[in-house]
Amino acid sequence: MMLVDNAAGYSITRFLHEQLWDASVRFENTPLLGGSASWLRSFPGRTPLVTSGDVLLSPAPENAFPDIAVTFRPDIVIGSSIARPAWREIRATCAQLGLPTVLYLREESALSHLLPGNGRHSAVLANSNTLVAGAARMGIEAHFVPSMVDVGAARTTSSRERIVLVNPREEHGVHIIPDLARTFPTIEFVLQESWPLNHSERATVDEILANHQNVWFRSRRSSPSDVFSDAAIVLAPHLLDNRPRTILEALSNGIPVVASDLPGLVESVGPGGLIVDRASGPIGWRDAVETLWQNPAIYRDLEQHARAYGSRPEVQPEHIVQTFLQHVANTISDSREQVQL
């Protein structure tokens, strides 16, 4: 069963609630915030809202969880991409019920769950070796289990005529596009929408389009294969470290990726593209694009490496599921053995 945080429409309330709640727990012995966690649980917009089925939705998963745990009676509880206060409450409930907990790290910010004072998990998994290393630096052993991506849905035969940047937001490096568009006026660039853009983000995109005739905006596509149908190169000039699924999808199509030199991106791209030193500024991105666009032999070599790296065994869904379930089974077994002791 999956319990999903469905806090859409509560962004401001959610932010205030999480910050205050987190502070109330961390400073529980202080007169100002101590003991306020119970009151904060009933903060407006944070009451449970659960629907029937295998996927349960709630704007307050930590509030909905206790009843679900008693009714569903899980053997183990796995947390991923969840706010610290919510996960802390869920783990407290799990401790009362004798349930083991697993934290699945999928973004760098999730390492904050491992900070002192948050207690130890029964097991920790991570979707990148970068996060495994980050956990190790905090004295926690994490096991590598990649995020599962169904690259089959993204498979296509690309015309390889354009350069594509997916999700044209500030944090995804849309700022590099004007310089590239000016430098390479005969190359067409596509700003591919993934998540809906807010008003400010769309205004930035519209300004780029108005000033550069060789830049297109393409609205979100229902089929992932449409994203790559014309891509010769996929850009990932991200400012924040992550492992976007679009990189693996591009690589599986033999499309080289040019990415920032952030550890998660370097690991995701592997030998299937070029890495740009962020300190090099615009010239680094120009050089990378020129290298691929003007050198067919280099491009063909990276195309082959991209396809091979995007199809390696460890990122195949069957392998990932088997590895994930094995770690879960081992954690359940270890937990039961500890109870018997």
Side-chain angles (χ1 to χ4, degrees), residues 78-82 87 102-107 110 113 121 123-128 131 143-148 320 324:
I78 302 167
S80 179
S81 298
I82 186 171
W87 184 230
V102 175
L103 176 65
Y104 185 29
L105 302 170
R106 297 178 61 246
E107 49 273 318
H113 287 289
H121 295 79
V124 178
L125 308 178
N127 76 341
S128 74
L131 291 175
H143 302 279
F144 174 54
V145 181
S147 295
M148 190 163 65
I320 294 173
F324 187 87

Side-chain angles (χ1 to χ4, degrees), residues 156-171:
T156 186
T157 301
S158 175
S159 61
R160 299 181 186 269
E161 55 188 314
R162 299 184 177 95
I163 295 178
V164 177
L165 184 148
V166 180
N167 216 357
R169 289 182 146 93
E170 179 182 0
E171 64 269 25

